[in-house]
Amino acid sequence: MTSLFVQEIRLSKRHEEIVSQRLMLLQQMENKFGNQNTEKASQLQAAETAFKRNLSLLKDIEEAEQSLQSRIHRLPRPEVVSLETRYWASVEEYIPKWEQFLLGRAPYPIGVENQNEAENTIQREAQ
């Protein structure tokens, strides 16, 4: 009978060890699960913050793009448009004369006085 009593005491101690280990493992699992939940919440918060930051950056980029586009497509002042129009009309008027001169089929298109002046300028620049 003593041996049964000793065996029951040993089994009772073993049972207490097992229950103690079980409680310790349950506590560790609970801590780990709590840490995982905290980490997930932190990651979700970080993702939400990054999403908001990215939206803000995207908005800033779009505003900068619109600002640059408006600068690029500004219409020039009327004086500039007038000068450009007169310049190109002048160019179109003199193209046939200069074309014949450059092909060697006609004399200097502006006049003999200007031709000598132009040749002198070219010679001075070459020296």
Side-chain angles (χ1 to χ4, degrees), residues 96-109:
K97 296 175 185 176
W98 278 100
E99 185 176 34
Q100 294 303 314
F101 168 73
L102 293 172
L103 292 173
R105 298 181 189 156
Y108 192 78

Side-chain angles (χ1 to χ4, degrees), residues 10-54:
R10 195 170 14 99
L11 286 175
S12 177
K13 286 183 181 181
R14 180 70 182 137
H15 179 265
E16 285 178 19
E17 288 174 10
I18 291 172
V19 168
S20 175
Q21 285 180 348
R22 179 178 179 269
L23 285 173
M24 188 175 67
L25 288 172
L26 284 172
Q27 185 64 39
Q28 287 176 352
M29 286 175 51
E30 193 174 297
N31 289 342
K32 188 172 184 176
F33 183 70
N35 289 342
Q36 286 177 345
N37 284 343
T38 303
E39 189 176 323
K40 275 187 182 180
S42 174
Q43 288 176 348
L44 286 173
Q45 181 66 31
E48 186 176 323
T49 302
F51 180 75
K52 288 178 181 177
R53 183 195 68 231
N54 290 346

Side-chain angles (χ1 to χ4, degrees), residues 1-6:
M1 184 115 168
T2 14
S3 77
L4 287 176
F5 183 70
V6 171

Side-chain angles (χ1 to χ4, degrees), residues 51-63:
F51 180 75
K52 288 178 181 177
R53 183 195 68 231
N54 290 346
L55 282 178
S56 174
L57 289 172
L58 184 60
K59 181 182 173 192
D60 290 345
I61 289 171
E62 288 172 350
E63 287 174 1

